[in-house]
Amino acid sequence: MGDNAHRTDLLSGPAHSPRTGLDPSTRPPQEGIERLPAPVAAPGELMRLFVAIAPPPAVLDELDALVEPLRASRHDLRWTSREAWHVTLAFLGQVDEAAVTRLLPRLKRAAGRHEQVRLAFAGAGAFPAATRANVLWSGMSGDRRALARLAESVAAGASRAGAPPPDKGRRFQPHLTLARCRMPVDVTELVAALDDYQGQPWTADRVHLVRSRLGATEHPRYTSLASWPLRALPDTGPDTRPDTGPDTGSDTGPAGPGSGGPVTTTG
């Protein structure tokens, strides 16, 4: 990967470490995110990749506690693992190793052009709609415009590297996927239960390139291949910018394995 790509686990590492959300002591072997020793792929092998940001564990703990009672009420949904929660910036699909080599400096450059982003989880929604949902998600408040610009840069860099997002061009709708269902179901009561939620603020400070493996289990297996820091925010005192509020729109785009991209996908 070279010195320009900081190897790290996206959502794994020491239990409740300052910037990650996975407690490895409780992770089943088939889920969560782990470190992959080099080489990352066999010659000619395609890798299913996405680019994401990872919320800190305290933020995930708060959201997880809110969602826990809802899981018991809806066994018809496949609830995602808290250990693998993330917010996707771009889903890249199947990428070969040559494209990955070109992709790494592009993502580093994209991250270096953008400042850290202040965010919070807020509200909820469903794709394509709450009455016929395949995906239930938590929305986001904070500087969503800055996050959209970051996602756009990531998608542009990936396209120049020969790994264009397959759903490029659709509206970017940042979210965290809470549950999925193969057949459309009504999740109106779940969306209503989460509608007033406003999570604690957090700062996205790093971009991750993540590999997704789809196996026999219902949970995909994620591996962080590399990550790059965003530029530090200027020290201007308390943030007085108005909150942009939660994004609770819907989209009929196809569900991806890791989440939304520079377009609406699921994660």
Side-chain angles (χ1 to χ4, degrees), residues 71-93:
R71 294 187 181 108
S73 69
R74 292 296 298 265
H75 295 291
D76 57 327
L77 300 177
R78 292 183 296 120
W79 294 90
T80 56
S81 167
R82 174 225 182 271
E83 287 76 19
W85 278 353
H86 60 275
V87 177
T88 298
L89 299 174
F91 171 62
L92 306 182

Side-chain angles (χ1 to χ4, degrees), residues 6 44 53-54 109-110 115 123 157 197:
H6 172 67
I53 54 176
R109 198 171 305 140
E115 291 182 346
Y197 176 63

Side-chain angles (χ1 to χ4, degrees), residues 170-263:
R170 292 186 182 173
R171 181 170 61 92
F172 175 63
Q173 188 166 342
H175 64 278
L176 184 147
T177 296
L178 299 173
R180 297 184 178 92
C181 188
R182 288 187 177 89
M183 298 300 294
V185 295
D186 191 333
V187 295
T188 304
E189 79 285 358
L190 298 179
V191 172
L194 297 168
D195 188 55
D196 293 331
Y197 176 63
Q198 177 61 58
Q200 60 182 288
W202 55 282
T203 300
D205 59 5
R206 185 170 286 273
V207 170
H208 301 261
L209 176 63
V210 184
R211 182 177 185 179
S212 171
R213 285 185 175 89
L214 304 178
T217 64
E218 64 181 23
H219 293 288
R221 183 178 178 180
Y222 297 149
T223 303
S224 178
L225 302 182
S227 72
W228 301 266
L230 299 171
R231 297 195 337 247
L233 288 165
D235 186 7
T236 57
D239 184 11
T240 58
R241 293 175 297 179
D243 189 356
T244 56
D247 187 349
T248 55
S250 64
D251 191 280
T252 57
S259 72
V263 299

Side-chain angles (χ1 to χ4, degrees), residues 58-76:
V59 170
L60 298 182
D61 288 342
E62 181 183 79
L63 181 58
D64 188 49
L66 182 70
V67 171
E68 181 58 30
L70 304 180
R71 294 187 181 108
S73 69
R74 292 296 298 265
H75 295 291
D76 57 327

Side-chain angles (χ1 to χ4, degrees), residues 4 31 44 58 84 93 147 149 220 228 262:
N4 62 346
E31 55 183 283
L147 189 63
R149 289 192 295 269
W228 301 266

